[in-house]
Amino acid sequence: MIKLFDLAGRDDRLRFSPYCWRTKMALLHKGLPFETIAWRFTEKDAIAPSKQIRVPTLVDGSEWIADSFPIALHLDRTHPDKPALMRGDAERAAARFVNTWCDFTLHLAMRSLLLLDVYNNAAEKDRSYFRESREKAVGQTLEQLCGDRAGSVETFVKTFAPMERTLKDERFLGGTQPNYADYALFGSLQWANAISGTTFLPPDSAGAAWFERLLDHHDGYARKAPTVRELATA
């Protein structure tokens, strides 16, 4: 069975990585059975055979593959009998663009909404590492970065506007059914949903409706995943 190292919070059930969510949705799309292994930021040794230090890291037989987009390419290449994540060069190029746009544009707009929530919900052994590494990257404390949530929500919604406009006319980025472009974007919103309890999108928006459809996709796998909302009341 395929094994996936999946970032977890202080509660094993809280799985919030946008990149791991891309891969889980991709595996479900392909109909491939898989096992997730709860992994923390400081558990680098556990994925050392992959020769890198981040998740998602997938073990498929004797192969170790890291990074969500290379994993998706691997799944399409090695399991061509299963539903394609990207059908042909055009879909692959479009999905690569959405994947990259999320990484380099959307996530920058989300940092000031989510990083303090990630810190507050991280495993105790991860918290010092997370604070030090992220504060070094952004050049200020997490509290300073995340101090204006209302302003950050406004910036995020503006950044999301190209996708909002697209999803007003399209049921999915893949057309009538989701493809990897959808899963790349979904991972970003599920990051917010899992760690902050909201996508920060207006509830009557096209993006929010699209997100709800994907929560219910694959027999509601993502909707059944615990978020900080459920864990706070458990």
Side-chain angles (χ1 to χ4, degrees), residues 2-22:
I2 291 172
K3 295 182 179 180
L4 176 67
F5 288 88
D6 187 16
L7 183 61
R10 58 186 175 185
D11 188 310
D12 266 7
R13 296 169 294 172
L14 183 60
R15 308 295 178 89
F16 57 89
S17 164
Y19 312 106
C20 293
W21 270 106
R22 293 173 184 176

Side-chain angles (χ1 to χ4, degrees), residues 1-3 49-51 58-65 74:
M1 180 182 292
I2 291 172
K3 295 182 179 180
S50 69
K51 297 181 171 56
L58 182 142
V59 186
D60 188 2
S62 61
E63 289 193 72
W64 289 68
I65 308 99
H74 165 84

